[in-house]
Amino acid sequence: MDHHAHLELAKQEARLGRSEGGIPIGAALVRDDGTVLGVGHNRRVQMGSAIRHGETDALERAGRLPATEYARSTMYTTLSPCAMCTGAILVYGIPRVVIGEHRTFMGEEELLLARGVEVIVLDDPECVTMMESFIAEEPSLWNEDIGEPDAG
């Protein structure tokens, strides 16, 4: 599979999310044969949602699927998955996660690995730049998204 091409789908979603006034994190759920099952982006701001992160949005937009579909899929995400998104990946038995970057935020990669999920980090420069710019521009919104108290 071309991980960079599929990560590009997640990056497109991240750009879309930011253009909508939201948080630039995107995701794509792709079956091992290359079929795109769902794409999504963080829409907490846009939807007033507590749980609509990139990965959960991609899962929601993929719709209800049999367990066999998840078992032969990869979750592509622009940023290391948080505890909530990691939980969703584990619940649905997604065997592989390809991460754009984990410099700006280290999610629950150790838990994924401990549970047998293959974790691939591409260290994509655009993913890093998108998050660094967003965090500098909107630190309060970023803290809200990751469940941290606002320092301001």
Side-chain angles (χ1 to χ4, degrees), residues 139-140 143-144 148-152:
S140 293
N143 286 335
E144 175 191 322
E148 291 290 329
D150 190 9

Side-chain angles (χ1 to χ4, degrees), residues 124-143:
D124 182 88
E126 183 183 2
C127 291
V128 174
T129 300
M130 276 193 288
M131 286 309 299
E132 286 178 343
S133 296
F134 169 73
I135 292 167
E137 292 166 11
E138 300 205 46
S140 293
L141 182 54
W142 173 239
N143 286 335

Side-chain angles (χ1 to χ4, degrees), residues 14-83:
R15 289 184 215 109
L16 176 60
R18 190 65 185 132
S19 75
E20 296 170 346
I23 300 161
I25 302 170
L29 182 65
V30 181
R31 197 166 56 206
D32 291 344
D33 67 3
T35 301
V36 178
L37 300 173
V39 296
H41 56 276
N42 186 306
R43 296 201 287 171
R44 290 185 67 249
V45 171
Q46 299 90 314
M47 296 178 75
S49 171
I51 62 169
R52 222 47 188 268
H53 282 191
E55 298 90 337
T56 56
D57 191 47
L59 287 166
E60 181 67 21
R61 293 169 80 186
R64 186 174 160 198
L65 299 172
T68 54
E69 289 294 295
Y70 299 113
R72 58 186 184 141
S73 297
T74 299
M75 179 64 77
Y76 291 86
T77 180
T78 58
L79 186 64
S80 185
C82 71

Side-chain angles (χ1 to χ4, degrees), residues 73-141:
S73 297
T74 299
M75 179 64 77
Y76 291 86
T77 180
T78 58
L79 186 64
S80 185
C82 71
M84 177 176 64
C85 295
T86 293
I89 290 163
L90 294 174
V91 164
Y92 290 106
I94 299 168
R96 183 178 315 98
V97 178
V98 176
I99 299 166
E101 69 102 350
H102 62 190
R103 287 193 227 172
T104 59
F105 177 79
M106 175 58 78
E108 298 296 329
E109 294 175 32
E110 291 299 322
L111 177 56
L112 290 167
L113 290 166
R115 295 284 297 272
V117 175
E118 180 182 6
V119 174
I120 300 167
V121 180
L122 298 181
D123 199 27
D124 182 88
E126 183 183 2
C127 291
V128 174
T129 300
M130 276 193 288
M131 286 309 299
E132 286 178 343
S133 296
F134 169 73
I135 292 167
E137 292 166 11
E138 300 205 46
S140 293
L141 182 54

